[in-house]
mmCIF file of all heavy atoms in Angstrom:
data_model
loop_
_atom_site.group_PDB
_atom_site.id
_atom_site.type_symbol
_atom_site.label_atom_id
_atom_site.label_comp_id
_atom_site.label_asym_id
_atom_site.label_seq_id
_atom_site.Cartn_x
_atom_site.Cartn_y
_atom_site.Cartn_z
ATOM 1 N N PRO E 3 -24.007 -18.958 -16.707
ATOM 2 C CA PRO E 3 -22.881 -18.880 -17.524
ATOM 3 C C PRO E 3 -23.212 -18.083 -18.817
ATOM 4 O O PRO E 3 -24.343 -18.176 -19.323
ATOM 5 C CB PRO E 3 -22.455 -20.330 -17.744
ATOM 6 C CG PRO E 3 -23.077 -21.060 -16.640
ATOM 7 C CD PRO E 3 -24.347 -20.315 -16.317
ATOM 8 N N ALA E 17 -25.176 -32.324 -11.644
ATOM 9 C CA ALA E 17 -26.348 -31.548 -12.040
ATOM 10 C C ALA E 17 -25.886 -30.235 -12.678
ATOM 11 O O ALA E 17 -24.762 -29.798 -12.518
ATOM 12 C CB ALA E 17 -27.113 -31.246 -10.713
ATOM 13 N N PRO E 100 -7.751 -17.258 -25.951
ATOM 14 C CA PRO E 100 -6.870 -16.547 -25.094
ATOM 15 C C PRO E 100 -7.515 -16.166 -23.763
ATOM 16 O O PRO E 100 -6.819 -15.818 -22.923
ATOM 17 C CB PRO E 100 -6.468 -15.297 -25.888
ATOM 18 C CG PRO E 100 -7.526 -15.085 -26.853
ATOM 19 C CD PRO E 100 -8.080 -16.486 -27.257
ATOM 20 N N VAL E 108 -4.901 -26.560 -6.976
ATOM 21 C CA VAL E 108 -5.583 -27.663 -6.298
ATOM 22 C C VAL E 108 -5.264 -27.490 -4.793
ATOM 23 O O VAL E 108 -4.092 -27.548 -4.378
ATOM 24 C CB VAL E 108 -5.079 -29.034 -6.763
ATOM 25 C CG1 VAL E 108 -5.744 -30.130 -5.975
ATOM 26 C CG2 VAL E 108 -5.415 -29.150 -8.280
ATOM 27 N N TYR E 132 -12.283 -16.694 -2.177
ATOM 28 C CA TYR E 132 -12.123 -15.280 -2.071
ATOM 29 C C TYR E 132 -11.064 -14.973 -0.999
ATOM 30 O O TYR E 132 -11.353 -15.110 0.233
ATOM 31 C CB TYR E 132 -13.441 -14.586 -1.660
ATOM 32 C CG TYR E 132 -14.439 -14.529 -2.768
ATOM 33 C CD1 TYR E 132 -15.278 -15.643 -2.990
ATOM 34 C CD2 TYR E 132 -14.491 -13.446 -3.641
ATOM 35 C CE1 TYR E 132 -16.193 -15.586 -4.002
ATOM 36 C CE2 TYR E 132 -15.420 -13.465 -4.666
ATOM 37 C CZ TYR E 132 -16.236 -14.477 -4.883
ATOM 38 O OH TYR E 132 -17.153 -14.485 -5.893
ATOM 39 N N SER E 155 2.566 -40.244 -14.269
ATOM 40 C CA SER E 155 3.979 -40.355 -14.591
ATOM 41 C C SER E 155 4.694 -39.129 -13.878
ATOM 42 O O SER E 155 4.027 -38.197 -13.479
ATOM 43 C CB SER E 155 4.166 -40.272 -16.086
ATOM 44 O OG SER E 155 3.717 -39.090 -16.717
ATOM 45 N N PRO E 168 6.742 -5.952 -21.858
ATOM 46 C CA PRO E 168 6.190 -4.642 -22.275
ATOM 47 C C PRO E 168 5.083 -4.841 -23.378
ATOM 48 O O PRO E 168 4.126 -4.006 -23.371
ATOM 49 C CB PRO E 168 7.347 -3.807 -22.758
ATOM 50 C CG PRO E 168 8.529 -4.392 -22.075
ATOM 51 C CD PRO E 168 8.229 -5.891 -21.934
ATOM 52 N N ILE E 187 -16.763 -6.839 -11.786
ATOM 53 C CA ILE E 187 -16.183 -7.279 -13.048
ATOM 54 C C ILE E 187 -16.242 -8.821 -13.122
ATOM 55 O O ILE E 187 -15.731 -9.344 -14.079
ATOM 56 C CB ILE E 187 -14.826 -6.807 -13.226
ATOM 57 C CG1 ILE E 187 -13.785 -7.266 -12.183
ATOM 58 C CG2 ILE E 187 -14.771 -5.254 -13.405
ATOM 59 C CD1 ILE E 187 -12.334 -6.852 -12.407
ATOM 60 N N GLU E 203 -5.987 -12.558 -15.210
ATOM 61 C CA GLU E 203 -7.062 -13.525 -14.889
ATOM 62 C C GLU E 203 -7.100 -14.648 -15.900
ATOM 63 O O GLU E 203 -7.236 -15.805 -15.597
ATOM 64 C CB GLU E 203 -8.381 -12.860 -14.812
ATOM 65 C CG GLU E 203 -9.543 -13.776 -14.542
ATOM 66 C CD GLU E 203 -9.533 -14.498 -13.218
ATOM 67 O OE1 GLU E 203 -8.852 -14.001 -12.305
ATOM 68 O OE2 GLU E 203 -10.174 -15.584 -13.063
ATOM 69 N N LEU E 231 6.664 -4.729 -15.474
ATOM 70 C CA LEU E 231 6.841 -5.367 -16.798
ATOM 71 C C LEU E 231 6.813 -4.412 -17.900
ATOM 72 O O LEU E 231 6.956 -4.710 -19.092
ATOM 73 C CB LEU E 231 5.774 -6.475 -16.917
ATOM 74 C CG LEU E 231 5.745 -7.542 -15.862
ATOM 75 C CD1 LEU E 231 4.626 -8.527 -16.098
ATOM 76 C CD2 LEU E 231 7.076 -8.262 -15.841
ATOM 77 N N PRO E 233 8.637 -0.955 -18.279
ATOM 78 C CA PRO E 233 9.538 -0.041 -17.580
ATOM 79 C C PRO E 233 9.429 1.466 -18.004
ATOM 80 O O PRO E 233 9.896 2.303 -17.233
ATOM 81 C CB PRO E 233 10.951 -0.561 -17.992
ATOM 82 C CG PRO E 233 10.628 -1.388 -19.236
ATOM 83 C CD PRO E 233 9.243 -1.959 -19.029
ATOM 84 N N ARG E 246 0.144 8.462 -10.635
ATOM 85 C CA ARG E 246 -0.199 9.811 -10.992
ATOM 86 C C ARG E 246 -1.695 10.183 -11.000
ATOM 87 O O ARG E 246 -2.063 11.322 -10.960
ATOM 88 C CB ARG E 246 0.357 10.119 -12.397
ATOM 89 C CG ARG E 246 1.886 10.009 -12.444
ATOM 90 C CD ARG E 246 2.431 10.372 -13.775
ATOM 91 N NE ARG E 246 2.172 11.842 -14.122
ATOM 92 C CZ ARG E 246 2.566 12.370 -15.236
ATOM 93 N NH1 ARG E 246 3.352 11.732 -16.053
ATOM 94 N NH2 ARG E 246 2.172 13.586 -15.557
ATOM 95 N N GLY E 254 1.804 -2.370 -15.443
ATOM 96 C CA GLY E 254 2.914 -3.300 -15.545
ATOM 97 C C GLY E 254 3.396 -3.791 -14.153
ATOM 98 O O GLY E 254 4.238 -4.719 -14.142
ATOM 99 N N ARG E 255 2.862 -3.311 -13.112
ATOM 100 C CA ARG E 255 3.281 -3.810 -11.768
ATOM 101 C C ARG E 255 2.843 -5.258 -11.544
ATOM 102 O O ARG E 255 1.720 -5.631 -11.815
ATOM 103 C CB ARG E 255 2.696 -2.936 -10.596
ATOM 104 C CG ARG E 255 3.115 -1.508 -10.631
ATOM 105 C CD ARG E 255 2.350 -0.775 -9.589
ATOM 106 N NE ARG E 255 0.877 -0.792 -9.861
ATOM 107 C CZ ARG E 255 0.017 -1.365 -9.132
ATOM 108 N NH1 ARG E 255 0.424 -2.023 -8.019
ATOM 109 N NH2 ARG E 255 -1.267 -1.286 -9.477
ATOM 110 N N ALA E 272 16.160 -6.409 -1.942
ATOM 111 C CA ALA E 272 16.120 -5.638 -3.162
ATOM 112 C C ALA E 272 15.499 -4.325 -2.838
ATOM 113 O O ALA E 272 14.567 -4.198 -2.087
ATOM 114 C CB ALA E 272 15.267 -6.362 -4.207
ATOM 115 N N VAL E 277 17.399 -4.497 -10.332
ATOM 116 C CA VAL E 277 16.819 -5.338 -11.435
ATOM 117 C C VAL E 277 16.853 -6.817 -11.061
ATOM 118 O O VAL E 277 17.908 -7.302 -10.543
ATOM 119 C CB VAL E 277 17.692 -5.096 -12.704
ATOM 120 C CG1 VAL E 277 17.100 -6.025 -13.833
ATOM 121 C CG2 VAL E 277 17.656 -3.628 -13.130
ATOM 122 N N ILE E 296 3.480 -13.679 -9.310
ATOM 123 C CA ILE E 296 4.144 -14.964 -9.712
ATOM 124 C C ILE E 296 4.504 -15.709 -8.458
ATOM 125 O O ILE E 296 5.390 -15.153 -7.669
ATOM 126 C CB ILE E 296 5.363 -14.688 -10.618
ATOM 127 C CG1 ILE E 296 4.908 -14.137 -11.961
ATOM 128 C CG2 ILE E 296 6.217 -15.904 -10.866
ATOM 129 C CD1 ILE E 296 5.982 -13.897 -12.953
ATOM 130 N N ASP E 337 13.532 -1.444 19.557
ATOM 131 C CA ASP E 337 14.944 -1.519 19.714
ATOM 132 C C ASP E 337 15.624 -0.136 19.665
ATOM 133 O O ASP E 337 15.135 0.767 18.890
ATOM 134 C CB ASP E 337 15.547 -2.412 18.600
ATOM 135 C CG ASP E 337 15.146 -3.843 18.724
ATOM 136 O OD1 ASP E 337 14.704 -4.245 19.856
ATOM 137 O OD2 ASP E 337 15.166 -4.564 17.700
ATOM 138 N N GLN E 338 16.673 0.047 20.377
ATOM 139 C CA GLN E 338 17.386 1.292 20.306
ATOM 140 C C GLN E 338 17.875 1.632 18.914
ATOM 141 O O GLN E 338 17.981 2.771 18.501
ATOM 142 C CB GLN E 338 18.603 1.228 21.207
ATOM 143 C CG GLN E 338 19.389 2.575 21.384
ATOM 144 C CD GLN E 338 18.505 3.697 21.909
ATOM 145 O OE1 GLN E 338 17.759 3.474 22.783
ATOM 146 N NE2 GLN E 338 18.721 4.904 21.390
ATOM 147 N N ASP E 350 21.323 13.777 9.767
ATOM 148 C CA ASP E 350 22.181 13.708 8.598
ATOM 149 C C ASP E 350 21.395 13.896 7.304
ATOM 150 O O ASP E 350 22.043 14.205 6.317
ATOM 151 C CB ASP E 350 22.832 12.377 8.621
ATOM 152 C CG ASP E 350 23.899 12.229 9.703
ATOM 153 O OD1 ASP E 350 24.244 13.251 10.316
ATOM 154 O OD2 ASP E 350 24.244 11.079 10.122
ATOM 155 N N ALA E 387 18.414 10.428 21.350
ATOM 156 C CA ALA E 387 19.098 9.807 20.250
ATOM 157 C C ALA E 387 19.521 10.872 19.225
ATOM 158 O O ALA E 387 20.538 10.735 18.587
ATOM 159 C CB ALA E 387 18.095 8.791 19.640
ATOM 160 N N ILE E 401 -0.155 17.206 22.959
ATOM 161 C CA ILE E 401 -1.282 17.016 23.865
ATOM 162 C C ILE E 401 -1.610 15.562 23.970
ATOM 163 O O ILE E 401 -1.745 14.880 22.960
ATOM 164 C CB ILE E 401 -2.530 17.809 23.370
ATOM 165 C CG1 ILE E 401 -2.269 19.387 23.469
ATOM 166 C CG2 ILE E 401 -3.755 17.402 24.154
ATOM 167 C CD1 ILE E 401 -3.330 20.247 23.013
ATOM 168 N N PHE E 477 4.646 29.469 16.701
ATOM 169 C CA PHE E 477 6.085 29.599 16.808
ATOM 170 C C PHE E 477 6.479 31.000 16.455
ATOM 171 O O PHE E 477 5.744 31.764 15.748
ATOM 172 C CB PHE E 477 6.778 28.642 15.943
ATOM 173 C CG PHE E 477 6.512 27.159 16.197
ATOM 174 C CD1 PHE E 477 5.406 26.580 15.733
ATOM 175 C CD2 PHE E 477 7.375 26.424 16.959
ATOM 176 C CE1 PHE E 477 5.148 25.225 16.017
ATOM 177 C CE2 PHE E 477 7.115 25.125 17.259
ATOM 178 C CZ PHE E 477 5.996 24.474 16.749
ATOM 179 N N GLN E 514 -14.349 10.228 5.452
ATOM 180 C CA GLN E 514 -13.941 10.865 6.658
ATOM 181 C C GLN E 514 -12.760 11.842 6.407
ATOM 182 O O GLN E 514 -12.670 12.944 6.990
ATOM 183 C CB GLN E 514 -13.523 9.836 7.649
ATOM 184 C CG GLN E 514 -13.164 10.423 9.065
ATOM 185 C CD GLN E 514 -12.939 9.394 10.161
ATOM 186 O OE1 GLN E 514 -12.986 8.163 9.869
ATOM 187 N NE2 GLN E 514 -12.762 9.801 11.358
ATOM 188 N N VAL E 522 -9.890 21.326 8.713
ATOM 189 C CA VAL E 522 -8.624 22.080 8.764
ATOM 190 C C VAL E 522 -8.705 23.264 7.800
ATOM 191 O O VAL E 522 -8.170 24.348 8.168
ATOM 192 C CB VAL E 522 -7.507 21.088 8.349
ATOM 193 C CG1 VAL E 522 -6.269 21.881 8.141
ATOM 194 C CG2 VAL E 522 -7.343 20.038 9.350
ATOM 195 N N ARG E 563 -1.971 25.855 -0.575
ATOM 196 C CA ARG E 563 -1.588 25.196 -1.790
ATOM 197 C C ARG E 563 -0.563 24.085 -1.389
ATOM 198 O O ARG E 563 0.171 24.247 -0.439
ATOM 199 C CB ARG E 563 -0.906 26.138 -2.781
ATOM 200 C CG ARG E 563 0.302 26.956 -2.274
ATOM 201 C CD ARG E 563 0.856 27.871 -3.333
ATOM 202 N NE ARG E 563 1.812 28.772 -2.797
ATOM 203 C CZ ARG E 563 2.927 29.195 -3.453
ATOM 204 N NH1 ARG E 563 3.172 28.732 -4.594
ATOM 205 N NH2 ARG E 563 3.712 30.100 -2.814
ATOM 206 N N VAL E 591 0.922 25.294 2.255
ATOM 207 C CA VAL E 591 1.266 26.566 2.773
ATOM 208 C C VAL E 591 0.194 27.604 2.427
ATOM 209 O O VAL E 591 -0.579 27.468 1.443
ATOM 210 C CB VAL E 591 2.573 27.136 2.208
ATOM 211 C CG1 VAL E 591 3.697 26.193 2.640
ATOM 212 C CG2 VAL E 591 2.519 27.222 0.694
#
Side-chain angles (χ1 to χ4, degrees):
V108 179
Y132 288 87
S155 62
I187 59 175
E203 176 65 23
L231 303 176
R246 295 184 62 176
R255 296 173 302 111
V277 176
I296 291 184
D337 292 339
Q338 184 62 39
D350 295 340
I401 291 178
F477 298 84
Q514 187 172 5
V522 172
R563 56 177 169 146
V591 298

